[in-house]
Amino acid sequence: MAQQTDPNMKRIVPVAIIIGAIIILAISWTSITVTIDAGHGGVLFQRFSGGVDEEKVYSPGLHFMAPWNTMHVYETRKQEITESMNGLSSDGLEVIMEISLWYRPGYESLGLLHNNVGPDYLSKIVMPGLRSATRTVIGRYKPDQLYSKNRDEIQNEIKEETEKLLEDKYIEVENTLIRSIKLPAKIKNAIETKLEQEQKLQAYKFRLQTASKEAERQKIEAEGKARANRIISQSLTDKILKEKGIEATLKLSESNNAKTIVIGSGDGGLPIILGGNN
């Protein structure tokens, strides 16, 4: 007689299989999934099928992968480093410069960066590149030129030199900023004294120019007045003066003030006015 199968077992086995699968999935979840945060990109290392996938970059979000593979995550946002370094000027004097660099790894070339340089690319290529570029630019100038020259020009030169050094290293250079420039105390004092003297000289030249312009203005004004006086003097003939005198006498005679007018007794035949008290 055939043995009957327990109906309870038929129900228990599928449930046990499901529970086991859930437990296995929970245990292995972290090894078969990876979450890439915003502002980051992933590079997959395939242990048994070709190593680093240089062509594909995994975007932010949840990704599944075989548990024997590894996802390397890189920050792709703009980042900043600040470095203080010394260099020699064109005349061999030591200059200390503090400079900041803004950079980012090239998103599309993250696979190449990982395969050829690795996650420690900052210490391997970025910092050495910045140091080399800065020292190259420092070596082009004398200390007083570094101290007084437009900083934007020097910053652009450092940026350009850094870009050349990192051109084929999968790094994008955003910008550079000089934080400070420190020179030997004697050199700094000499430069400051020289700049102060130059400023005083410029101020003195400005005062001389102002005084010269004022003297020229006064000369022109005086010449103008002299010409006006000559013209007036030449136009004032005896006849005109008599006419003006007669006009003035007529106006006075019309006044209500008591007066006596003697006709023809003044200089040139002009009338004399006596009295005139209010």
Side-chain angles (χ1 to χ4, degrees), residues 110-154:
L110 284 180
L112 291 168
L113 176 66
H114 182 75
N115 204 29
N116 292 286
V117 183
D120 53 348
Y121 65 90
L122 177 61
S123 61
K124 280 187 175 181
I125 59 174
V126 177
M127 294 299 294
L130 177 62
R131 294 190 190 106
S132 178
T134 302
R135 289 180 177 129
T136 297
V137 174
I138 289 175
R140 295 173 183 167
Y141 296 99
K142 293 182 179 180
D144 59 329
Q145 293 174 320
L146 290 170
Y147 196 76
S148 59
K149 192 176 177 66
N150 188 336
R151 284 197 180 187
D152 288 343
E153 295 181 21
I154 300 175

Side-chain angles (χ1 to χ4, degrees), residues 32-245:
I32 62 173
T33 63
V34 62
T35 299
I36 299 177
D37 294 332
H40 293 70
V43 176
L44 185 64
F45 174 73
Q46 303 171 100
R47 191 176 301 277
F48 302 115
S49 55
V52 175
D53 185 353
E54 293 183 349
E55 297 182 357
K56 184 174 181 180
V57 177
Y58 290 80
S59 59
L62 178 66
H63 299 276
F64 290 90
M65 61 183 186
W68 51 83
N69 292 338
T70 305
M71 183 74 76
H72 296 274
V73 180
Y74 286 81
E75 184 173 0
T76 56
R77 290 174 291 206
K78 181 170 68 174
Q79 302 168 63
E80 177 188 3
I81 55 169
T82 300
E83 179 79 353
S84 180
M85 64 195 78
N86 62 338
L88 297 179
S89 63
S90 61
D91 52 5
L93 294 174
E94 185 180 44
V95 176
I96 299 175
M97 182 178 292
E98 185 178 26
I99 187 165
S100 292
L101 170 71
W102 283 273
Y103 69 97
R104 71 172 81 234
Y107 185 84
E108 298 298 331
S109 56
L110 284 180
L112 291 168
L113 176 66
H114 182 75
N115 204 29
N116 292 286
V117 183
D120 53 348
Y121 65 90
L122 177 61
S123 61
K124 280 187 175 181
I125 59 174
V126 177
M127 294 299 294
L130 177 62
R131 294 190 190 106
S132 178
T134 302
R135 289 180 177 129
T136 297
V137 174
I138 289 175
R140 295 173 183 167
Y141 296 99
K142 293 182 179 180
D144 59 329
Q145 293 174 320
L146 290 170
Y147 196 76
S148 59
K149 192 176 177 66
N150 188 336
R151 284 197 180 187
D152 288 343
E153 295 181 21
I154 300 175
Q155 288 170 177
N156 288 335
E157 288 187 36
I158 295 175
K159 178 178 180 290
E160 291 171 0
E161 288 294 331
T162 306
E163 285 176 332
K164 290 178 185 178
L165 293 171
L166 301 180
E167 185 176 8
D168 299 325
K169 303 296 190 298
Y170 324 111
I171 300 296
E172 298 175 5
V173 176
E174 295 281 334
N175 205 356
T176 55
L177 175 66
I178 296 175
R179 299 288 185 181
S180 65
I181 298 176
K182 296 180 180 178
L183 306 176
K186 291 183 179 179
I187 300 297
K188 182 181 178 181
N189 293 336
I191 292 172
E192 290 177 346
T193 300
K194 179 182 177 183
L195 292 175
E196 184 179 354
Q197 291 174 346
E198 289 177 351
Q199 290 173 356
K200 288 180 178 179
L201 180 60
Q202 292 297 326
Y204 178 69
K205 288 181 178 179
F206 176 77
R207 288 196 297 271
L208 286 179
Q209 291 174 354
T210 302
S212 177
K213 290 179 180 179
E214 178 62 18
E216 183 66 21
R217 185 193 67 79
Q218 292 177 358
K219 178 182 178 183
I220 293 172
E221 183 179 355
E223 290 176 350
K225 288 180 179 180
R227 283 196 301 270
N229 289 334
R230 284 196 300 271
I231 293 171
I232 293 172
S233 178
Q234 292 171 0
S235 64
L236 291 177
T237 63
D238 292 342
K239 185 177 179 181
I240 292 175
L241 290 173
K242 285 182 180 181
E243 289 178 357
K244 295 295 182 181

